[in-house]
């Protein structure tokens, strides 16, 4: 179980965010050690599919998010907020 904060304004492959994912990769031994990480990813769950590195496959994990459209409300958001807080969970822990 863990938590993380990904920098805003970038994507999953931006310098600091990529470093966090590389650390998760190292600590979980490439997904061999089961994990559940709750994080402020500062990107939507669909952004994982746009990544040149398939981190979900590499870590044997998937994104688990609530059945809602908003987990963060920004003061100037036109859409009322965004879904950027969710979990990255080892596939073996997902029913």
């Amino acid at each position: 179980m863990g938590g993380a904060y990904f920098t805003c304004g970038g994507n999953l492959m931006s310098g600091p965010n990529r470093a966090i994912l590389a650390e998760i990769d190292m600590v979980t031994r490439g997904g061999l050690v089961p994990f559940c990480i709750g994080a402020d990813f500062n990107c939507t769950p669909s952004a994982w599919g746009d990544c040149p590195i398939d981190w979900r496959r590499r870590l044997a994990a998937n994104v688990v998010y609530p059945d809602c459209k908003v987990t963060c409300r920004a003061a100037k958001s036109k859409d009322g907020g965004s879904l950027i807080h969710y979990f990255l969970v080892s596939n073996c822990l997902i029913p």
Side-chain angles (χ1 to χ4, degrees), residues 7-45:
T7 61
C8 60
N11 57 38
L12 291 170
M13 293 305 292
S14 67
N17 294 342
R18 185 174 180 163
I20 293 169
L21 288 167
E23 187 74 17
I24 293 168
D25 187 32
M26 184 187 74
V27 170
T28 66
R29 298 182 182 199
L32 294 175
V33 176
F35 66 92
C36 176
I37 297 173
D40 179 348
F41 287 100
N42 272 310
C43 66
T44 63

Side-chain angles (χ1 to χ4, degrees), residues 7-94:
T7 61
C8 60
N11 57 38
L12 291 170
M13 293 305 292
S14 67
N17 294 342
R18 185 174 180 163
I20 293 169
L21 288 167
E23 187 74 17
I24 293 168
D25 187 32
M26 184 187 74
V27 170
T28 66
R29 298 182 182 199
L32 294 175
V33 176
F35 66 92
C36 176
I37 297 173
D40 179 348
F41 287 100
N42 272 310
C43 66
T44 63
S46 63
W48 291 83
D50 300 333
C51 233
I53 296 174
D54 189 351
W55 288 103
R56 293 172 298 179
R57 184 183 55 75
R58 182 179 181 121
L59 296 170
N62 219 324
V63 173
V64 177
Y65 54 93
D67 185 20
C68 66
K69 293 183 180 178
V70 175
T71 58
C72 177
R73 295 196 187 278
K76 297 181 181 179
S77 173
K78 294 180 260 179
D79 304 330
S82 56
L83 175 58
I84 58 173
H85 305 111
Y86 45 87
F87 295 89
L88 183 63
V89 182
S90 293
N91 290 331
C92 67
L93 298 177
I94 300 174

